[in-house]
Amino acid sequence: MLPSAEAIDVIGDIHGCATLLKRLLDRLGYRRNRDGVWHHPQRRVLFLGDLIDRGPEIVETVEIARAMAEQGHATVLLGNHEISALTAFFLRDERRVPRIHKETVEQYRNCPERWRDTLKWLLECPLCIDGGSYRAVHACWDATLAERFLDHHPDGRIDRHMLMRACDPQSFSHMLFGRLTRGPQLALPDDRSMTSRDGVTRRTFRTSFWACKPRCYQDVLFQPDPLPPDIAQRPLDDASKRRLVFYGPDQPPLFFGHYWRQGRPELISDNLACLDYSGVKGGHLVAYRFDGEARLSADKLVWVSVDDPADIGASKADMQCSQICQ
Ligand SMILES: [Mn+2]
């Protein structure tokens, strides 16, 4: 018997941290079956995308999620990293793959046919889900774009034609992938740029999509790096306001990842749960245990961390290392 429709454990960005993923699944009560596939008798998992890149155990992460999906115990959504990988490997010269896929390429080096097979499987994964009582997407639910896409693709799956068309910045596919898997962004005023903590210089910043009547730039900021102080309080102009997306408090619960949140996991509101808490950067890998409720509750958040005292192996090793280094 397959798990019931609304008993879903939604899991945020894993980025190749299979050890954290296994600990989280274990904490959620999932066990391995005879084939080694993680499952739960009453529940299933919804992965919010960005399984690949950055972390040390990408192949194992993908194998865990894929095996669960193929046996009906999970659904895997595409994140911006999967969209980028699909574009890079299907449409472009494989020797000029973007740097963000460096770890993935290295870790699949000895099994290139497995990587090709993984890409074919990823192309079958949905971009977003409108489950009626809930919605899920990697970064942002832009209702206009998502509904137009789902009208033509009710299963939420993309295809090679869409990937191809997305190479044209004016295309619907380009807007759809950008908005749903990277989220809305605004340009900084006066052609300004800012450099993030990881050294990347950008002319745009990530915005939230739930600010009610935002007044200034700070009101819509949603990223770890702060705005330059003189810009933060500057009023938003009308053109910028028109570019914003708004997901209202009366909408069904929305699950998303992508935003490198930090600190203790919490809900954004009772219908918005961002489950990316930077697990691969030493933060938390977070799940929300959804049972079809119309209003989300923070006590249904579950997480594991690299420095969790329950993780005897890793924390002991880290401690010994830091003691030795001192
Ligand atoms: Mn992402």
Side-chain angles (χ1 to χ4, degrees):
M1 198 181 75
L2 287 176
S4 66
E6 290 198 323
I8 303 171
D9 295 312
V10 193
I11 296 182
D13 308 33
I14 305 163
H15 280 306
C17 293
T19 302
L20 277 183
L21 173 60
K22 288 184 282 185
R23 281 179 40 218
L24 182 61
L25 289 170
D26 181 72
R27 193 161 295 180
L28 294 168
Y30 288 73
R31 296 293 174 257
R32 285 184 168 105
N33 67 15
R34 245 174 293 158
D35 307 330
V37 180
W38 289 85
H39 72 289
H40 189 291
Q42 284 97 34
R43 307 184 65 82
R44 64 198 167 95
V45 169
L46 173 53
F47 292 106
L48 292 174
D50 280 5
L51 301 180
I52 62 166
D53 296 338
R54 300 193 196 273
E57 305 146 335
I58 296 164
V59 180
E60 189 181 5
T61 300
V62 169
E63 301 288 310
I64 290 171
R66 180 176 177 176
M68 291 179 76
E70 287 178 342
Q71 293 200 5
H73 299 293
T75 301
V76 177
L77 296 187
L78 297 171
N80 56 307
H81 284 257
E82 283 87 17
I83 293 279
S84 168
L86 286 169
T87 306
F89 287 90
F90 279 148
L91 303 183
R92 298 208 187 112
D93 182 343
E94 285 200 19
R95 287 163 299 182
R96 297 180 57 196
V97 165
R99 273 188 63 82
I100 56 159
H101 305 307
K102 187 169 143 269
E103 289 84 5
T104 300
V105 170
E106 268 166 22
Q107 291 169 37
Y108 274 97
R109 178 148 292 155
N110 296 323
C111 45
E113 61 301 318
R114 225 156 139 196
W115 173 235
R116 273 192 291 276
D117 193 55
T118 296
L119 288 164
K120 278 188 214 153
W121 167 70
L122 285 172
L123 194 55
E124 305 282 302
C125 293
L127 179 67
C128 60
I129 291 179
D130 187 345
S133 63
Y134 73 97
R135 290 168 179 154
V137 68
H138 182 63
C140 168
W141 191 271
D142 179 316
T144 311
L145 296 175
E147 282 166 21
R148 181 170 155 195
F149 166 63
L150 289 169
D151 274 350
H152 297 279
H153 301 255
D155 57 8
R157 288 178 182 173
I158 67 164
D159 55 41
R160 279 178 192 248
H161 300 288
M162 290 185 71
L163 282 178
M164 232 177 306
R165 285 195 293 267
C167 298
D168 171 6
Q170 303 300 320
S171 66
F172 172 74
S173 297
H174 183 88
M175 278 197 310
L176 178 80
F177 294 166
R179 189 55 65 78
L180 269 61
T181 72
R182 295 175 195 274
Q185 307 198 359
L186 278 186
L188 291 162
D190 306 335
D191 276 334
R192 292 271 293 274
S193 61
M194 56 187 282
T195 304
S196 68
R197 263 172 276 181
D198 41 15
V200 184
T201 300
R202 294 190 176 86
R203 295 182 178 283
T204 58
F205 68 98
R206 291 178 172 183
T207 69
S208 67
F209 44 92
W210 48 88
C212 189
K213 297 192 182 138
R215 194 185 51 81
C216 61
Y217 281 85
Q218 180 65 31
D219 290 346
V220 292
L221 179 77
F222 191 56
Q223 62 177 31
D225 291 300
L227 289 169
D230 63 307
I231 289 177
Q233 297 305 323
R234 214 190 272 194
L236 283 163
D237 58 43
D238 288 341
S240 297
K241 281 184 186 166
R242 277 196 299 274
R243 291 186 57 82
L244 295 169
V245 180
F246 182 63
Y247 194 87
D250 51 339
Q251 296 289 304
L254 173 66
F255 299 100
F256 60 105
H258 185 64
Y259 287 93
W260 298 114
R261 300 203 80 197
Q262 292 167 351
R264 187 185 162 86
E266 57 188 20
L267 298 175
I268 290 168
S269 68
D270 66 6
N271 72 331
L272 289 164
C274 176
L275 302 178
D276 177 20
Y277 274 81
S278 313
V280 69
K281 290 186 183 172
H284 314 290
L285 183 63
V286 183
Y288 183 93
R289 313 211 81 175
F290 183 62
D291 295 288
E293 61 273 25
R295 297 292 120 191
L296 304 179
S297 166
D299 59 13
K300 300 184 90 173
L301 291 166
V302 177
W303 63 88
V304 294
S305 326
V306 175
D307 58 359
D308 191 327
D311 180 13
I312 296 155
S315 59
K316 257 198 182 160
D318 288 349
M319 220 184 294
Q320 281 163 0
C321 178
S322 60
Q323 279 162 358
I324 291 163
C325 294
Q326 281 162 11

